[in-house]
Amino acid sequence: MSRLAKAALFAAPILAASLGLPLAARAATPKPVYVHMNGANMFLENPVAVRPGQPVVFVNEDTGSHTIIGYSATTGKTSTRFDGAVAGTKGPGHKVHTYTITFAHQGIVHYYCSVHAILAKEPGGRTVAKVRPGVHGFGDPMAGTIIVTTDPKLLADNPKTAAEKILPGYFGG
Ligand SMILES: [Cu+2]
C-alpha cells in the first residue's frame, strides 16, 4: 500500500502531527497536481497530496460529463465551495475541460462525482460514496480523497501521472 493510501486511511495521526508546525515557506505558485477522468468512471489519481494553496486540477479526458463535489464524511453535507462540473471531450486534439481548486488548511478532503456515485450513511454514521445504482461497469464508486499536507514524503508519493495535464493514452468513452 502506498504512503498516500495509508495516509488516507489513517487520517488522524497526520492531522495530529501537523498541529503546531510553523507554516512552511511558500514556494511561488506551486505546480498543480492533476487528477484525470479517463473513461472508466473513476478518478485516476486517488488519493493525491497537495500543499495548502497548491492547485488541484481535475482534467476530464472522458467523453462524458462529471461533477466533482466535496463532502464531509462526518456530517454527510456537500460543499458549496468545492463544487465543480466538467463537460466531456470529443477525444485527442480536442479541448478538455478542467476544474481547479485550492485548499487553505491541512486535512483530508473527500469528493465524489454525483453523476456516477451517491453518498450513503454507513451504520456507524460515517458518510461514504457508493456506486450509483444503474451505473454500469466498474466496481469502485467514482470518488476520491485529497490530502492537504506539508509532509514532503506524502507530497513526493503522488502517482507520476499527477504531474501531467494531458495523458495521451487515456481518452475514452
Ligand atoms: Cu462521473
Side-chain angles (χ1 to χ4, degrees):
M1 186 183 280
S2 74
R3 274 197 194 100
L4 283 179
K6 278 185 198 149
L9 283 175
F10 304 108
I14 300 177
L15 293 177
S18 70
L19 291 176
L21 286 178
L23 277 180
R26 286 193 188 173
T29 321
K31 279 185 63 177
V33 165
Y34 296 99
V35 176
H36 301 88
M37 287 146 274
N38 64 351
N41 289 343
M42 63 178 283
F43 295 102
L44 184 65
E45 296 84 3
N46 174 42
V48 291
V50 288
R51 292 179 174 280
Q54 182 177 14
V56 182
V57 178
F58 289 88
V59 182
N60 191 359
E61 295 191 80
D62 193 351
T63 52
S65 303
H66 299 286
T67 66
I68 308 121
I69 301 171
Y71 70 91
S72 163
T74 309
T75 66
K77 284 193 179 151
T78 53
S79 173
T80 51
R81 190 181 85 88
F82 184 6
D83 184 2
V86 279
T89 179
K90 288 177 180 165
H94 291 272
K95 181 179 170 59
V96 294
H97 296 271
T98 61
Y99 170 72
T100 301
I101 188 159
T102 59
F103 302 95
H105 306 291
Q106 295 190 54
I108 304 288
V109 180
H110 300 289
Y111 63 89
Y112 79 120
C113 169
S114 60
V115 179
H116 296 107
I118 55 170
L119 294 181
K121 202 163 256 209
E122 292 200 310
R126 190 178 157 85
T127 294
V128 298
K130 297 201 164 167
V131 173
R132 179 176 283 287
V135 170
H136 57 273
F138 306 98
D140 292 330
M142 189 167 183
T145 301
I146 299 165
I147 300 164
V148 186
T149 180
T150 57
D151 183 334
K153 286 183 185 148
L154 292 176
L155 292 162
D157 204 31
N158 282 327
K160 281 198 170 66
T161 53
E164 305 292 329
K165 182 178 178 187
I166 304 288
L167 301 179
Y170 282 93
F171 285 94

